[in-house]
Amino acid sequence: MTKSLRLRAAVVSLLLFGGFIAAWHLATRGSSEVAKMSPEYAALMGATATQGKSAMPGPFEVGAKLWEHIKRPFYDNGPNDKGLGIQLGYSIARVMTGYLLAVAVAIPLGFLIGMSPLMNKALDPFIQVLKPISPLAWMPLALYTIKDSSLSAIFVIFICSVWPMLLNTAFGVASVRKEWINVARTLEVGTVRRAFTVILPAAAPTILTGMRISIGIAWLVIVAAEMLVGGTGIGYFVWNEWNNLSIVNVIIAILLIGVVGMLLDQVLARFTRMVTFPE
């Protein structure tokens, strides 16, 4: 039954993708009449005006350019001309650095909040004030204090990744069945050992759900952060290609951002399924 459902879902996905590509191709073919213009103006305006083509590139043009990037993903011709492999590598490195720092802070603190009603009440006002602040609002302060654009981007990733993990960890720890904890206490299991042998396995699915939410938010934020700070990264690549009026490269970057985000999400989804067991 499951295999049949997956097969049918794959067929439907392929049909939807094919329909989208066909609609995109038809929408960008361009059939408008070409106005008469002087040779100098025609040379300035280019093919989109002189041949009646759509200014938006079609799927085949994007596919051909994507293949060029795939063939040379790591070329380096200077500060503003690097391969997509290098651009993605810098972005992923920044995301993972800030994300792992957030894991190191959020999960222990979430355990403390979930296990201690006192700390829950004491820290809740601070969490509720800081959580709604947009991560990019921290960027000017980070640039002013850290004085390094790359480290500032990592700090912003850290800030945006902390809250989903912290809240999900605290919720998962606080929601562990009291009977399991009482049995551990009856067996005179210490607090630290109880946290690792009883609470952590029971709360693991909720914790990993928070980590999965955080990685998605972190990947969203890094693009905007790199647009602001410049340098190297997929966000800066999008902004730089827009300044160069290369819509083809902008579309390619958008597609790659989506693919990498999906892969990061699927990795954590796999881990979540590995620690989820039927009761």
Side-chain angles (χ1 to χ4, degrees):
M1 184 66 180
T2 304
K3 290 183 178 179
S4 174
L5 179 61
R6 289 178 180 174
L7 178 61
R8 285 182 290 159
V11 171
V12 173
S13 295
L14 289 174
L15 290 175
L16 290 173
F17 179 74
F20 170 74
I21 295 296
W24 182 8
H25 174 67
L26 293 174
T28 55
R29 284 180 63 186
S31 58
S32 59
E33 295 183 4
V34 181
K36 292 182 179 180
M37 58 188 72
S38 65
E40 294 83 4
Y41 185 73
L44 178 65
M45 294 303 294
T48 58
T50 59
Q51 300 176 19
K53 292 183 178 180
S54 171
M56 179 65 68
F60 299 108
E61 186 179 353
V62 172
K65 189 67 176 179
L66 177 61
W67 179 243
E68 291 181 18
H69 284 296
I70 291 173
K71 288 191 295 184
R72 297 180 61 222
F74 300 107
Y75 74 87
D76 189 349
N77 295 333
N80 292 328
D81 190 10
K82 299 180 188 293
L84 279 175
I86 295 176
Q87 306 284 8
L88 285 171
Y90 271 88
S91 296
I92 293 172
R94 292 188 184 110
V95 166
M96 295 311 299
T97 302
Y99 180 77
L100 292 175
L101 288 173
V103 170
V105 171
I107 293 181
L109 188 56
F111 259 84
L112 178 63
I113 294 171
M115 295 178 68
S116 171
L118 173 63
M119 297 305 297
N120 187 3
K121 293 291 184 182
L123 294 176
D124 185 66
F126 299 98
I127 295 172
Q128 297 307 321
V129 169
L130 295 173
K131 180 169 63 71
I133 299 173
S134 170
L136 295 180
W138 293 97
M139 182 60 78
L141 187 61
L143 288 170
Y144 180 76
T145 54
I146 300 174
K147 296 179 174 60
D148 183 277
S149 59
S150 184
L151 292 178
S152 298
I154 291 172
F155 172 76
V156 169
I157 294 302
F158 167 80
I159 286 292
C160 76
S161 302
V162 160
W163 308 119
M165 277 190 280
L166 176 64
L167 296 175
N168 271 53
T169 300
F171 175 77
V173 170
S175 300
V176 175
R177 289 188 176 183
K178 301 303 179 184
E179 308 92 84
W180 298 347
I181 297 175
N182 291 335
V183 168
R185 285 174 178 164
T186 302
L187 296 174
E188 297 182 354
V189 177
T191 303
V192 175
R193 186 180 176 189
R194 187 165 67 243
F196 281 98
T197 59
V198 178
I199 298 175
L200 180 58
T206 308
I207 295 171
L208 279 165
T209 299
M211 294 174 65
R212 185 179 176 185
I213 295 170
S214 289
I215 197 66
I217 295 174
W219 188 243
L220 283 173
V221 170
I222 192 60
V223 175
E226 288 174 344
M227 285 184 179
L228 290 176
V229 301
T232 306
I234 194 64
Y236 177 69
F237 177 82
V238 172
W239 188 249
N240 190 51
E241 293 304 315
W242 162 246
N243 289 332
N244 294 332
L245 298 180
S246 178
I247 305 302
V248 174
N249 280 332
V250 171
I251 293 174
I252 289 171
I254 290 171
L255 292 174
L256 289 176
I257 290 168
V259 170
V260 173
M262 179 189 69
L263 292 175
L264 293 173
D265 179 79
Q266 288 303 307
V267 168
L268 284 169
R270 179 66 179 265
F271 286 141
T272 303
R273 289 193 294 270
M274 288 172 61
V275 299
T276 302
F277 301 99
E279 295 184 9

